[in-house]
Amino acid sequence: MSTSRKDSKKKEEAQDVNYVEHLWSWEEVEKEFGTSITSGLSDEQVLKNREKYGKNELTPPPKTPEWLKFLYEFTNFFSLLLLGGGILCFIGYGIDPDKDQTNLYLGVVLILVVLITATFSYMQEAKSAKIMEGFAKLIPKDCKVTRNGVKSKIDPSELVPGDLVDVSDGDQIPADIRVLKATELKVDNSSLTGESEAQERTPENVNDEGEQIKVALEAKNLIFYTTTVSQGSGVGIVIGTGDTTAMGQIATMTQEQEADDTPIKKEIKKFILLISAIAITLGIIFLAIGFAIGTEPIKNVVFMIGIIVANVPEGLLATVTVSLALTAKRMFKKNVLVKKLEAVETLGSTTVICSDKTGTLTQNRMTVLHCWYDHQIRNTPPAKNLPDLRQQLAADENAYDINSPSFIKLHRIASLCNNSKFIFADEKDDSGNIVLSAKAQQDNFASSLEEPTFNVLGMDMTSDASEQGLMKMAQLVKDRETYHAEYPELIQIKFNSTNKWQLSVHKQPDKPYPLLVMKGAAERVFARSTSFLENGEAVPVTPQHKEAFEKAYEDLGGLGERVLGFAYKELTDFTNDFEFSLTPQPNFPTDDLTFAGLFSLIDPPREGVPQAVAKCKRARIRVFMVTGDHKTTAQAIAKQVGIFDQSVLDAGKAKVVVGDDIRDLMNIEDEAERDRQWLEILSYEQLVFARVSPKHKLYIVDHNRRLRGEVVAVTGDGVNDAPALKKADIGIAMGIAGKDVSKAVADMILMDDNFASIVNGVEEGRLIFDNLKKSIAYTLTSNIPEIAPFLCFIVLRIPLPLSTVLILCVDLGTDMVPAISMAYEEKESDIMDRPPRRAETDRLVNRRLISFAYFQIGVIQALAGFFTYMVVLNDYGYPPRELIGLGLEWEEWSLMCSSDDRNRPGSCGYGCGSPKFDNDFYDQDIFQGDDNFSKYCEDGCRAPCVLGEGECTEEVFVASADPFSEFDEDGYRGGDFCDLTCENYCEKVYTGSDVQDCIDADDNLPNDFLPAACTEGRETQSVGFFDRGEIKPQAPKGARYWWDGTAQDAPNQQYQQAALEYAQTSYFISIIVVQWADLLISKCRKLSLFNQGMRNSFMNFGLAFETVLGALLIYTPPLNTVFGTRPLHILHWFPGVPWSILIFVYDETRKSLMRANPGGWVEQYTYW
């Protein structure tokens, strides 16, 4: 064997399809596989080859269980952050000695948020079809094989290399096969190579110059697994099965591609890292501050958790998910099905679109666009029906003349020398019932052509693509069946690769002799002609005729169109009843013809594609055509759709790169040099890649991303596109013509197969990025008024202005609908005039956005909250100047203040704590039934009466006072007294022997409580205010309880707590009030609200929603209990209004300055 598979194998990265068998002699093939080209494999050799090569099946990838896919939804960083916050809340609840339910509720809600959004994402992104399942659907049902010299039918999975296989018209190729014999064999390779026309296959593997074709996918002697025989028949030897087939190699490449994170996922991950860093840093800093100022450790940890949770925008995950889903739903109405939610934004970030030609930029059907007769190139309107034809003919002065004698004859030849027929199939409803039968459609075909909505171009037909295109054009001029009935066929010579023409002979209705008509390769048909049709009459061919023909042929070929020649001959020496024969040679002449003219066909651009490409250019998106078709055709289509501009071509800034160029590049050993040459190619302003293989498409995508940092979108419909679709930042498959494999790996599916739909998607993608940015700006601003209360609570020690549960009400309640309403915001007028965003500079959340949300609007909102909070507390009798330093004990002890003669509070603090009955020396059982026990109150003690006032005599006072009371006749005794026990009390009150008498409970003492507490062998130093040490801040001597704006003799902890809850509720309402303005200013980043307007009805609903929800939370009694809110007086809604107006005026001024000074300081530092 001269060449082995191993010896001929190039380095892996330069391969297209790993085959060299098409270059071998048949002796080498027989030897390699142990087969015979006449009798096939023996049974023994079949077993050997199966053991060596395996079954003819594709290896499925490992399957991921659905439950694991669901769990994967919890692994994104945002979900992990919220889960961490939920766990911290549970920890905070567990270690909190007071068991505050708020942390428990908050933890449950955070876990539920993650669970709901993960479930939603899983359901939205569940893969409807798996990659290899799509490939599996391509497997043929049976095949014809010869083994031991005997023909039989077997399951294709039983085939092995070396099998001798027969294929015929309509068969799906069961493996990769080297052609041994071929009879007019053509195969449809469109799903594999992108070629729109059926490709001729022969045993000889040479090109038009007689050179051997080395590239396997272009070899004329190979037919590939899952492609279809469109014409003829053939016999061949199997050279590849299963994973080694071209399709199997593509499947393997597809599986090997690892999809990177989408741009929006990267942006959100960076954002969450930033927010996490801020939250954790602040939490640690204020934990340290708390320890430094002596806060209880457990309480300190609980508040650190509160700071972290307050920093996390809990509603953002749901907002992003819902916004993407809403946009996906909107895109579906524009014929774009989004399989992967995050792909919505990726399309908006796209900088390069690598588009397949066939079926995406073009219609995937050969259509006649030009004809040439009487020395003139005429347009052939691609009309859909007769009204459309009449309209186009009237509008186009250069269209063919339907009454021209020359055109009538040219049209007759095209119609008669044509084997294609229209296919009519029953139309059924969803239940399978026939709505319109095939027979009824056929009978009404002529009348259907008169309907303006009918599209003959979209009908299915038999025969090859060129014949179909010719017949669809001809049908609108004269009905095919009528023509063929008038001119019945007598004999036909089919097209073959040797002749490159087809002819048929027909009876003539008005003449006694038959008519011979011929079509085929234009130069071959012209060479067989001796006459030329001019103005309906045959004249001898002259050099001028030949020159005119060659110019027309070159001009039409230069347009990338397939040019066919047409000729005829009236067989005057024969009669209509003559018996024509083809064996051994035709018994009639096939030359000396009259050349009638040319028809040229091309797979034309889809409607709207040129406009869509122009829109992409305006948006600075580069559109590359990437096709397996020929260079000339690709360049012609590129010009027609606008991918190539003639001016750019003339300037040398546009280039067609063919597959051989890429192979040469990949064979360069020096990686740096290889990358340099790739960069040189990719630097061209406009590019078309032609005759490329599936692996080449991968290289194009990879080098654009790796070397130039492009965000690449790839479109495709065939199996050959699957690897690139998966590798790209966003893969876009065709919904109609697309194979299941391409749909399975794609992120989006174009339901109408129209490139123009991609541009709609780009607009929506850019809009969702803008709107997400606005939504995040709106959401983040409320972080500062949520965080600031915790910071002031720890640092300034004021009563907590906003509870964690109310933070949750903002993030997951009042802010949710307004934030989501941004998804409905209209696009800005310049959205497609901007260049694509660059990931490294135009971030979803940048420093300017953080500065705007946190340090500008957020600070104003926080000030509004504190102002409202202080106004309300002041209205309930607690002036702002008295709040600092009292916050940590506010909910545990009753406030005590001194007052002046105008009853204004002076210095405030707290008295002693409650007695603890958990010590042997202070047993509660001793005091059961003792009247004096009531004086040891749990929440503070009532002040004794004031001497000289009312009935408060000295006897009454003495009777009501005990040695350990916090009060005497002048009010609170002060902090020193809180430490008293039996022993040190006596030492402070008495001197000398009276001290011991005091300790021994002399009967002269004020009451009998002291003996009961201090005798009976107890240790006197332990009995008294046990475990009631001094509380900070300590109330001054003479202070009394302070509530309801005045000094009180008895504590009222409920009033004090209620006042704080009213203040917290007002803080919560103030956030809603300032968020009104925040929502309005977030509508546009630079334009004034007065320009953008208030046309977003969902946003208007959002404004009402957050207000109504806030009212429900504070005015519904059951919700008051759940959320710790209070029914505010209506006036307490208004302190935040001036701040809301300030926010609006500030932002309108900022935007006005930006518009007045583009690129100025304000724009540089505040445009987010």
Side-chain angles (χ1 to χ4, degrees):
M1 187 182 301
S2 60
T3 310
S4 72
R5 182 189 291 254
K6 181 177 179 180
D7 293 339
S8 299
K9 183 179 179 181
K10 296 180 180 181
K11 62 181 181 179
E12 179 64 24
E13 66 175 6
Q15 292 172 8
D16 298 324
V17 173
N18 184 22
Y19 278 133
V20 291
E21 286 85 348
H22 60 294
L23 305 175
W24 293 351
S25 67
W26 282 112
E27 289 77 13
E28 289 175 309
V29 173
E30 287 181 314
K31 183 177 180 181
E32 175 73 11
F33 299 116
T35 188
S36 165
I37 61 174
T38 55
S39 59
L41 292 170
S42 64
D43 290 340
E44 182 182 358
Q45 191 64 41
V46 168
L47 295 175
K48 289 181 180 179
N49 286 5
R50 182 169 296 131
E51 183 178 354
K52 181 177 180 181
Y53 300 107
K55 295 190 73 172
N56 185 26
E57 294 175 340
L58 299 179
T59 304
K63 292 185 178 181
T64 304
E66 292 300 316
W67 63 268
L68 197 56
K69 290 181 182 178
F70 178 67
L71 289 181
Y72 180 75
E73 296 294 335
F74 293 87
T75 60
N76 70 74
F77 200 80
F78 211 154
S79 295
L80 292 175
L81 183 61
L82 293 187
L83 286 172
I87 292 169
L88 285 177
C89 288
F90 290 138
I91 293 173
Y93 174 74
I95 65 177
D96 186 359
D98 298 328
K99 297 300 177 191
D100 182 5
Q101 300 292 316
T102 301
N103 280 322
L104 179 62
Y105 297 152
L106 185 58
V108 170
V109 171
L110 291 178
I111 300 298
L112 282 176
V113 168
V114 176
L115 180 63
I116 292 169
T117 51
T119 303
F120 183 75
S121 296
Y122 169 76
M123 293 174 66
Q124 285 286 325
E125 298 185 8
K127 303 298 182 184
S128 58
K130 300 175 181 63
I131 296 171
M132 294 307 297
E133 288 178 354
F135 281 102
K137 291 180 182 178
L138 302 172
I139 298 174
K141 294 180 180 178
D142 55 41
C143 61
K144 299 180 282 288
V145 65
T146 300
R147 288 177 176 172
N148 300 309
V150 179
K151 290 187 177 182
S152 61
K153 283 188 176 183
I154 65 171
D155 188 290
S157 65
E158 299 298 321
L159 282 178
V160 295
D163 265 325
L164 184 62
V165 177
D166 288 34
V167 294
S168 56
D169 192 2
D171 285 351
Q172 201 171 22
I173 308 299
D176 285 358
I177 298 172
R178 166 88 178 265
V179 177
L180 178 63
K181 300 175 185 177
T183 305
E184 300 173 8
L185 179 62
K186 287 187 177 182
V187 291
D188 179 5
N189 280 352
S190 59
S191 67
L192 184 63
T193 64
E195 294 163 305
S196 53
E197 283 195 82
Q199 301 298 304
E200 185 181 359
R201 289 296 176 257
T202 64
E204 295 77 30
N205 180 35
V206 293
N207 58 24
D208 293 339
E209 288 75 35
E211 299 170 342
Q212 191 177 43
I213 301 172
K214 295 183 178 180
V215 179
L217 283 177
E218 298 177 9
K220 291 185 177 294
N221 62 347
L222 292 183
I223 53 179
F224 296 103
Y225 173 55
T226 73
T227 58
T228 306
V229 179
S230 59
Q231 179 181 311
S233 61
V235 179
I237 297 290
V238 174
I239 61 169
T241 57
D243 292 338
T244 63
T245 62
M247 201 64 69
Q249 293 178 51
I250 292 172
T252 301
M253 275 194 286
T254 304
Q255 292 179 60
E256 289 173 351
Q257 303 313 309
E258 294 184 3
D260 293 337
D261 286 344
T262 59
I264 192 66
K265 192 169 186 177
K266 293 176 183 176
E267 288 295 319
I268 291 175
K269 185 180 289 185
K270 291 172 184 173
F271 166 59
I272 297 305
L273 285 171
L274 174 63
I275 291 296
S276 302
I278 293 173
I280 294 170
T281 301
L282 282 176
I284 293 172
I285 288 174
F286 285 95
L287 178 70
I289 292 173
F291 281 124
I293 63 178
T295 308
E296 292 179 26
I298 292 177
K299 186 176 288 186
N300 210 7
V301 171
V302 170
F303 284 120
M304 179 195 73
I305 293 170
I307 289 174
I308 292 174
V309 171
N311 265 283
V312 176
E314 292 86 359
L316 188 59
L317 177 60
T319 300
V320 170
T321 303
V322 173
S323 297
L324 290 172
L326 287 172
T327 306
K329 184 178 180 180
R330 193 161 61 237
M331 289 177 68
F332 183 73
K333 295 179 180 177
K334 298 181 180 181
N335 293 313
V336 181
L337 174 63
V338 179
K339 288 177 59 187
K340 189 175 182 180
L341 288 182
E342 290 167 350
V344 175
E345 192 282 327
T346 306
L347 195 53
S349 306
T350 298
T351 58
V352 169
I353 299 176
C354 293
S355 178
D356 186 31
K357 176 183 74 70
T358 307
T360 308
L361 297 173
T362 64
Q363 300 176 22
N364 196 22
R365 51 175 174 253
M366 296 297 287
T367 303
V368 180
L369 290 186
H370 295 96
C371 59
W372 181 72
Y373 63 89
D374 290 344
H375 300 279
Q376 286 187 314
I377 293 178
R378 298 275 190 165
N379 296 330
T380 305
K384 299 176 182 178
N385 48 62
L386 287 171
D388 187 23
L389 176 65
R390 297 184 193 112
Q391 183 180 354
Q392 292 195 51
L393 287 176
D396 189 354
E397 294 181 356
N398 196 42
Y400 62 73
D401 181 2
I402 200 168
N403 298 312
S404 164
S406 295
F407 179 77
I408 291 173
K409 290 187 177 181
L410 178 62
H411 171 269
R412 180 184 300 155
I413 301 167
S415 184
L416 293 177
C417 192
N418 196 315
N419 293 319
S420 62
K421 293 182 179 181
F422 289 97
I423 299 173
F424 300 93
D426 293 338
E427 290 185 11
K428 299 181 180 180
D429 59 19
D430 295 337
S431 303
N433 301 316
I434 296 176
V435 178
L436 185 62
S437 68
K439 174 114 181 18
Q441 292 179 59
Q442 189 168 4
D443 293 343
N444 298 322
F445 187 38
S447 59
S448 297
L449 291 173
E450 290 287 352
E451 296 176 5
T453 57
F454 190 79
N455 184 7
V456 70
L457 297 177
M459 293 189 67
D460 292 330
M461 300 188 73
T462 60
S463 195
D464 64 37
S466 294
E467 288 207 327
Q468 290 181 33
L470 287 168
M471 185 52 67
K472 288 174 181 178
M473 177 276 302
Q475 176 67 32
L476 293 177
V477 179
K478 186 170 182 177
D479 180 60
R480 178 199 185 280
E481 299 303 326
T482 302
Y483 236 146
H484 280 255
E486 291 177 0
Y487 291 81
E489 184 179 292
L490 300 175
I491 198 167
Q492 179 180 150
I493 299 178
K494 291 186 177 182
F495 181 92
N496 61 64
S497 58
T498 304
N499 294 332
K500 294 189 180 294
W501 48 256
Q502 169 192 350
L503 70 74
S504 57
V505 179
H506 300 260
K507 284 185 180 181
Q508 296 196 76
D510 54 351
K511 295 180 181 179
Y513 47 84
L515 175 69
L516 180 150
V517 289
M518 176 184 285
K519 81 165 187 289
E523 69 281 5
R524 294 287 185 97
V525 175
F526 188 84
R528 303 182 78 83
S529 302
T530 55
S531 299
F532 194 91
L533 187 67
E534 280 188 356
N535 300 317
E537 299 294 332
V539 299
V541 172
T542 66
Q544 289 76 20
H545 289 134
K546 184 175 182 182
E547 183 180 345
F549 159 76
E550 289 175 348
K551 184 177 187 309
Y553 180 62
E554 289 175 3
D555 288 346
L556 293 173
L559 296 175
E561 298 176 12
R562 184 182 185 194
V563 184
L564 297 177
F566 298 81
Y568 71 96
K569 180 180 180 65
E570 294 192 329
L571 299 176
T572 54
D573 295 336
F574 299 82
T575 62
N576 282 329
D577 57 359
F578 178 76
E579 291 200 13
F580 291 91
S581 172
L582 300 179
T583 55
Q585 293 293 327
N587 60 353
F588 57 93
T590 60
D591 51 10
D592 192 25
L593 310 178
T594 299
F595 191 80
L598 304 170
F599 277 116
S600 62
L601 306 91
I602 198 169
D603 182 7
R606 299 180 69 102
E607 292 182 14
V609 167
Q611 294 85 346
V613 171
K615 214 169 186 180
C616 286
K617 287 181 178 177
R618 203 172 75 239
R620 270 84 106 200
I621 298 172
R622 303 167 76 202
V623 180
F624 298 163
M625 180 193 294
V626 184
T627 180
D629 217 334
H630 295 277
K631 176 180 179 179
T632 305
T633 305
Q635 182 167 329
I637 293 295
K639 287 182 180 179
Q640 289 182 42
V641 300
I643 291 176
F644 272 178
D645 295 324
Q646 191 60 50
S647 59
V648 179
L649 275 168
D650 294 341
K653 296 180 180 179
K655 182 179 179 66
V656 179
V657 180
V658 296
D660 287 339
D661 297 333
I662 297 177
R663 292 184 189 95
D664 292 341
L665 277 177
M666 301 318 296
N667 282 325
I668 298 174
E669 296 289 344
D670 185 349
E671 185 176 349
E673 175 61 20
R674 186 166 67 241
D675 286 350
R676 187 194 66 77
Q677 293 196 27
W678 264 109
L679 271 174
E680 186 177 320
I681 289 175
L682 296 176
S683 297
Y684 277 87
E685 190 175 322
Q686 297 174 348
L687 278 170
V688 166
F689 295 88
R691 302 303 286 168
V692 296
S693 69
K695 202 149 196 175
H696 294 160
K697 292 186 179 184
L698 270 181
Y699 294 147
I700 294 165
V701 172
D702 180 62
H703 285 83
N704 267 290
R705 296 177 70 206
R706 183 168 57 84
L707 299 181
R708 290 179 58 89
E710 308 280 9
V711 177
V712 182
V714 170
T715 72
D717 58 357
V719 177
N720 59 317
D721 299 313
L725 285 171
K726 190 175 180 184
K727 179 69 174 177
D729 292 289
I730 177 168
I732 306 168
M734 304 298 111
I736 299 172
K739 301 296 182 184
D740 288 341
V741 180
S742 62
K743 294 177 188 178
V745 299
D747 302 303
M748 284 184 181
I749 299 173
L750 300 183
M751 304 306 292
D752 58 357
D753 288 13
N754 196 341
F755 180 84
S757 297
I758 299 176
V759 180
N760 292 333
V762 170
E763 283 187 341
E764 290 291 346
R766 291 189 174 189
L767 178 60
I768 195 61
F769 183 82
D770 276 4
N771 289 348
L772 275 178
K773 203 174 183 77
K774 294 171 183 177
S775 182
I776 289 172
Y778 168 79
T779 304
L780 286 185
T781 50
S782 61
N783 267 19
I784 293 299
E786 290 172 356
I787 297 167
F790 283 96
L791 305 188
C792 292
F793 177 66
I794 295 294
V795 177
L796 302 180
R797 300 173 75 99
I798 64 173
L800 184 63
L802 187 68
S803 66
T804 50
V805 74
L806 287 179
I807 290 175
L808 206 62
C809 288
V810 173
D811 290 348
L812 297 178
T814 59
D815 268 3
M816 186 68 77
V817 173
I820 292 173
S821 73
M822 286 295 184
Y824 293 89
E825 190 63 23
E826 295 178 359
K827 65 187 178 187
E828 297 178 27
S829 57
D830 65 341
I831 196 166
M832 288 301 284
D833 294 325
R834 290 182 257 162
R837 74 175 186 88
R838 305 301 296 188
E840 63 274 11
T841 56
D842 193 1
R843 310 292 282 274
L844 184 65
V845 180
N846 53 31
R847 284 177 294 179
R848 294 187 297 275
L849 178 57
I850 292 292
S851 170
F852 175 79
Y854 278 6
F855 305 120
Q856 296 171 55
I857 307 304
V859 168
I860 297 175
Q861 288 195 354
L863 292 174
F866 282 114
F867 175 73
T868 307
Y869 158 83
M870 290 179 181
V871 165
V872 173
L873 273 183
N874 186 72
D875 287 351
Y876 282 95
Y878 301 102
R881 67 178 182 276
E882 300 297 343
L883 300 179
I884 296 176
L886 305 177
L888 297 183
E889 298 83 10
W890 186 276
E891 298 182 40
E892 298 181 30
W893 313 111
S894 294
L895 187 67
M896 304 174 73
C897 298
S898 60
S899 58
D900 59 18
D901 55 358
R902 297 173 61 184
N903 199 35
R904 292 182 302 184
S907 178
C908 296
Y910 299 100
C912 300
S914 301
K916 309 289 184 180
F917 297 112
D918 55 0
N919 189 281
D920 290 340
F921 299 110
Y922 202 67
D923 193 344
Q924 183 177 353
D925 294 338
I926 298 174
F927 303 103
Q928 294 300 323
D930 193 320
D931 292 338
N932 293 306
F933 174 67
S934 62
K935 297 172 184 175
Y936 289 83
C937 52
E938 293 186 5
D939 295 315
C941 301
R942 176 178 295 277
C945 63
V946 180
L947 286 172
E949 292 185 8
E951 299 179 357
C952 190
T953 64
E954 186 174 352
E955 290 76 13
V956 172
F957 175 79
V958 171
S960 65
D962 68 72
F964 303 120
S965 172
E966 297 175 350
F967 289 90
D968 61 17
E969 68 274 16
D970 296 321
Y972 183 59
R973 293 193 187 189
D976 292 343
F977 194 75
C978 292
D979 295 328
L980 293 183
T981 63
C982 296
E983 186 171 350
N984 62 26
Y985 169 76
C986 293
E987 289 174 350
K988 288 186 178 182
V989 176
Y990 298 99
T991 58
S993 61
D994 291 338
V995 174
Q996 190 59 46
D997 291 340
C998 170
I999 295 174
D1000 294 339
D1002 184 36
D1003 290 339
N1004 294 324
L1005 289 174
N1007 55 50
D1008 60 355
F1009 176 72
L1010 191 58
C1014 299
T1015 55
E1016 303 178 4
R1018 295 183 181 275
E1019 297 180 16
T1020 56
Q1021 67 270 20
S1022 301
V1023 180
F1025 287 108
F1026 175 75
D1027 198 22
R1028 293 175 63 189
E1030 187 174 348
I1031 305 298
K1032 297 291 186 179
Q1034 190 65 43
K1037 291 182 180 181
R1040 290 182 178 271
Y1041 293 110
W1042 188 270
W1043 50 272
D1044 197 21
T1046 187
Q1048 306 281 354
D1049 286 337
N1052 190 340
Q1053 189 66 30
Q1054 288 184 334
Y1055 180 93
Q1056 188 171 308
Q1057 179 61 30
L1060 179 60
E1061 288 176 351
Y1062 274 105
Q1064 290 176 338
T1065 302
S1066 69
Y1067 194 109
F1068 164 68
I1069 290 298
S1070 76
I1071 292 179
I1072 294 176
V1073 171
V1074 291
Q1075 283 290 75
W1076 294 342
D1078 186 28
L1079 187 63
L1080 297 180
I1081 69 172
S1082 297
K1083 278 174 65 71
C1084 36
R1085 295 158 64 188
K1086 186 180 287 188
L1087 292 177
S1088 168
L1089 176 67
F1090 300 103
N1091 296 122
Q1092 186 77 353
M1094 294 292 293
R1095 292 181 294 272
N1096 185 345
S1097 57
F1098 194 78
M1099 179 176 288
N1100 299 335
F1101 166 76
L1103 283 168
F1105 171 84
E1106 65 176 335
T1107 307
V1108 171
L1109 180 59
L1112 285 173
L1113 289 173
I1114 69 173
Y1115 293 119
T1116 306
L1119 298 182
N1120 293 155
T1121 304
V1122 173
F1123 295 103
T1125 55
R1126 292 283 178 165
L1128 285 185
H1129 190 284
I1130 189 64
L1131 291 177
H1132 287 158
W1133 280 72
F1134 288 95
V1137 172
W1139 299 90
S1140 189
I1141 295 171
L1142 174 62
I1143 288 172
F1144 182 78
V1145 172
Y1146 167 80
D1147 196 63
E1148 281 294 313
T1149 304
R1150 182 184 67 85
K1151 291 172 183 173
S1152 176
L1153 291 172
M1154 280 198 296
R1155 294 192 300 273
N1157 301 282
W1161 182 90
V1162 177
E1163 182 172 339
Q1164 289 179 32
Y1165 290 96
T1166 70
Y1167 178 60
W1168 45 271

